[in-house]
């Protein structure tokens, strides 16, 4: 983000502004120029929040690239808003910071396995939903002691700080579970492997992505519970109805032209994940 120093000469400001435009970078706090109509072009950057540690959904690879279903959805939406893929600035959106990133203007929107619920809608708006997942449990492949959610009582359950998944289990399903909240799913997975925790809970799509990684094959298994419905939405600043409408239109087009199904199969298909059909758009309607 470029910020002009107070008291700078007007001529200098003009030159800097023209230079920034020419090289394709924006000076807005959120890293994006105003989103144009579908098919138009924008000269600035657009900042988008994603997860960096979720294989199959939002992952920053060791060589600095970004991949996953959420990345593909966000890229498609950004293209419909008039941005090219190389104009996207990816920003890490950990669960506990998503609302802050949006309200502070650090990102234009967030696509990061962001389940729509009333508590979050009090702070941000959503477009979508664009995916329906279900909460499940991941356990070690040789563990036969956990076959239903009640089996978590007296066991160590891990999820990430700010996620609704573990809180739902602790409150409604297994009140005697020993809840461990860590910064990221990768830390939970490490704990599961070294037996410092007994189960990892979050959405089945996320768990499938981890289980399908080459280094994890044969180590873990999904229990196969559908403990909740998680409708993933694209989070954006509250009250931005114009952007919400444009993103909804992009999501509908992605489903209609087959890009949505192709992205699901490319990113989650290798884990033999059985996805639900694309959900109906409900936000903003």
């Amino acid at each position: 983000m470029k910020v002009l120093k107070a008291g700078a000469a007007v001529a200098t400001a003009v030159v800097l502004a023209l230079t920034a435009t020419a090289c394709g970078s924006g000076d807005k706090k959120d890293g994006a120029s105003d989103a144009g109509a579908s098919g138009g072009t924008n000269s600035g950057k657009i900042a988008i929040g994603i997860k960096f540690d979720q294989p199959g959904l939002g992952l920053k690879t060791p060589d600095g690239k970004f991949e996953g279903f959420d990345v593909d959805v966000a890229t498609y939406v950004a293209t419909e808003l008039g941005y090219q893929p190389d104009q996207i600035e990816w920003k890490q959106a950990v669960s506990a910071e998503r609302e802050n990133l949006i309200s502070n203007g650090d990102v234009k929107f967030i696509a990061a396995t962001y389940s729509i619920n009333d508590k979050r809608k009090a702070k941000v708006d959503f477009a979508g939903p664009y995916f329906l997942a279900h909460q499940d449990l991941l356990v070690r492949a040789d563990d036969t002691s956990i076959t239903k959610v009640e089996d978590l009582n007296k066991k160590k359950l891990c999820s990430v700080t700010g996620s609704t998944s573990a809180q739902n289990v602790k409150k409604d399903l297994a009140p005697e579970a020993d809840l461990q909240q860590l910064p990221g799913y990768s830390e939970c997975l490490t704990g599961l492997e070294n037996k410092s925790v007994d189960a990892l809970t979050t959405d089945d799509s996320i768990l499938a992505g981890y289980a399908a990684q080459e280094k994890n094959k044969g180590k873990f298994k999904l229990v196969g519970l559908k403990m909740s419905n998680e409708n993933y939405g694209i989070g954006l600043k509250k009250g931005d109805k114009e952007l919400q409408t444009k993103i909804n239109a992009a999501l509908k087009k992605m489903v209609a032209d087959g890009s949505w199904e192709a992205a699901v199969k490319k990113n989650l298909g290798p884990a033999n994940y059985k996805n639900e059909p694309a959900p109906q758009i409900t936000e903003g309607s």
Side-chain angles (χ1 to χ4, degrees):
M1 177 180 69
K2 295 175 179 151
V3 179
L4 300 181
K5 294 181 179 179
V10 173
T12 302
V14 172
V15 170
L16 288 174
L18 289 174
T19 301
T21 301
C23 68
S25 65
D27 290 330
K28 291 194 174 186
K29 180 176 172 128
D30 65 4
S33 59
D34 291 335
S38 177
T41 58
N42 282 297
S43 59
K45 296 280 188 179
I46 181 169
I48 302 174
I50 58 168
K51 292 293 181 68
F52 279 16
D53 66 343
Q54 290 181 350
L57 292 156
L59 182 68
K60 183 177 181 180
T61 64
D63 59 358
K65 295 180 181 179
F66 299 91
E67 62 185 28
F69 178 70
D70 280 347
V71 174
D72 288 347
V73 170
T75 301
Y76 189 101
V77 169
T79 301
E80 288 299 300
L81 295 177
Y83 297 93
Q84 296 302 310
D86 61 3
Q87 291 177 280
I88 298 173
E89 179 185 359
W90 300 110
K91 292 197 173 184
Q92 186 173 20
V94 298
S95 295
E97 291 298 319
R98 288 179 295 206
E99 286 83 21
N100 289 335
L101 287 170
I102 293 170
S103 62
N104 292 339
D106 295 318
V107 295
K108 194 70 172 178
F109 63 81
I110 286 179
T113 57
Y114 201 0
S115 298
I116 301 169
N117 62 40
D118 290 339
K119 182 178 179 181
R120 290 168 178 166
K121 287 171 70 172
K123 298 178 180 179
V124 301
D125 280 340
F126 286 94
Y130 65 92
F131 194 82
L132 173 59
H134 303 286
Q135 186 179 349
D136 201 356
L137 300 174
L138 190 72
V139 298
R140 290 180 290 276
D142 60 355
D143 188 345
T144 59
S145 67
I146 301 174
T147 60
K148 57 187 183 298
V149 68
E150 291 80 9
D151 293 334
L152 291 172
N153 285 311
K154 308 295 186 182
K155 291 185 178 290
K156 293 180 179 179
L157 172 67
C158 190
S159 194
V160 302
T161 304
S163 172
T164 59
S165 299
Q167 296 167 14
N168 291 340
V169 171
K170 178 74 174 176
K171 178 183 176 183
D172 302 321
L173 303 171
E176 295 182 53
D178 181 4
L179 180 58
Q180 313 278 317
Q181 296 190 76
L182 298 179
Y185 294 109
S186 297
E187 290 90 338
C188 283
L189 201 71
T190 299
L192 184 60
E193 184 172 7
N194 64 29
K195 299 186 178 182
S196 61
V197 299
D198 299 303
L200 164 58
T201 187
T202 188
D203 305 343
D204 52 8
S205 56
I206 298 172
L207 298 175
Y210 280 114
Q213 282 187 295
E214 190 64 36
K215 64 180 181 180
N216 293 330
K217 286 183 178 178
K219 294 181 180 180
F220 310 108
K221 64 182 179 182
L222 286 162
V223 177
L225 308 178
K226 291 188 177 182
M227 294 184 282
S228 69
N229 292 329
E230 304 295 337
N231 283 290
Y232 294 167
I234 292 182
L236 60 144
K237 187 166 286 188
K238 198 161 186 64
D240 195 342
K241 298 302 181 184
E242 181 180 1
L243 180 60
Q244 183 185 50
T245 298
K246 289 176 179 178
I247 293 177
N248 280 336
L251 294 174
K252 290 177 182 178
K253 182 177 178 182
M254 187 179 186
V255 173
D257 68 15
S259 299
W260 184 91
E261 187 69 28
V264 173
K265 300 228 176 283
K266 180 184 79 172
N267 293 292
L268 299 175
N272 294 317
Y273 175 69
K274 308 301 182 184
N275 66 282
E276 301 276 9
Q280 293 295 311
I281 302 292
T282 58
E283 299 302 304
S285 59

